Amino acid sequence: MAAVVTTEKLTKAFGGLYAVHEVDFAVEEGHIHGVIGPNGSGKTTMLNTISGIYHPTGGRVYFRGERVDGLSPNRLVAKGIARTFQNIRLFPRLTVLDNVMVGQYCRTKAGLWQILVRSQLMRDEEKRSRERAMEALSFVGLAERASIYPSDLPYGQQRLVEIARALATEPRLLLLDEPSAGMNITEKRNLARLVARARLERSLSVIVIEHDMRLISGLCDRVTVLNFGNKIAEGTPAEVRSNKDVIEAYLGRGRSGVNN
């Protein structure tokens, strides 16, 4: 099966410190791929480099066969890479619907003049953006909360608004940075079902950074493990859980399992 995203010796250094060091990584089309590791292992840095927030110090990133390392985040979103963040980044003075509509702007073509004079193209695109945003909110179960502000939502639902906004960009690859942080067990189970359904119904490939091994084990096809910026293991969730290097990275020597 073809890879939707591939990295070759991906490296990101800050000064003399390597946050990610020569990581080879590939996600197959239609797969949900987990990335785990202790705090400070380079997981978010790798995601930031794939999504264009950081430019790599070395190595290459390919998206659907095209080299994309060094491209800006907005260009990568337009190509089909969307993401959420470890720390929620919603616009507090916009409604839930307007926050999600922001994700549609990469698919609009109206220029400044057409916006100023409210041309027919601009009005048509605004209507389409609103419909797509409502569709994304319905998908995550928040259509009835469209008119309120994000601060009026519970924390777990705010994370769902971020996912809805990412889906509104019409991505082919969805990057989720600790999407279950702050969620209770029921919310985590619902999140896992939502991500699995998005993969099937929207033909998505997904990269998930997580600390919750139960969520990763039940959701992901494959898992990559980072430690101190290096890839130390990769395989199915079961293979990764029993890998001695992973056990040592999480728990130290002499322990026999990976806990949350």
Side-chain angles (χ1 to χ4, degrees), residues 229-244:
N230 296 292
K231 185 171 78 171
I232 63 170
E234 190 170 74
T236 66
E239 290 169 343
V240 164
R241 285 179 66 92
S242 62
N243 184 290
K244 64 179 181 64

Side-chain angles (χ1 to χ4, degrees), residues 72-83 103 106-107 169-171:
S72 62
N74 62 298
R75 290 183 65 185
L76 291 173
V77 170
K79 287 181 179 295
I81 299 177
R83 69 166 296 173
C106 68
R107 303 298 171 204
T169 69
E170 303 175 30

Side-chain angles (χ1 to χ4, degrees), residues 81-98:
I81 299 177
R83 69 166 296 173
T84 66
F85 291 87
Q86 186 175 349
N87 299 314
I88 293 174
R89 299 187 182 184
L90 298 174
F91 299 103
R93 296 187 179 182
L94 296 181
T95 66
V96 167
L97 176 60
D98 288 336

Side-chain angles (χ1 to χ4, degrees), residues 32-50:
I32 300 176
H33 196 119
V35 180
I36 65 172
N39 290 332
S41 60
K43 305 182 299 295
T44 294
T45 299
M46 186 173 79
L47 214 65
N48 286 343
T49 308
I50 291 173

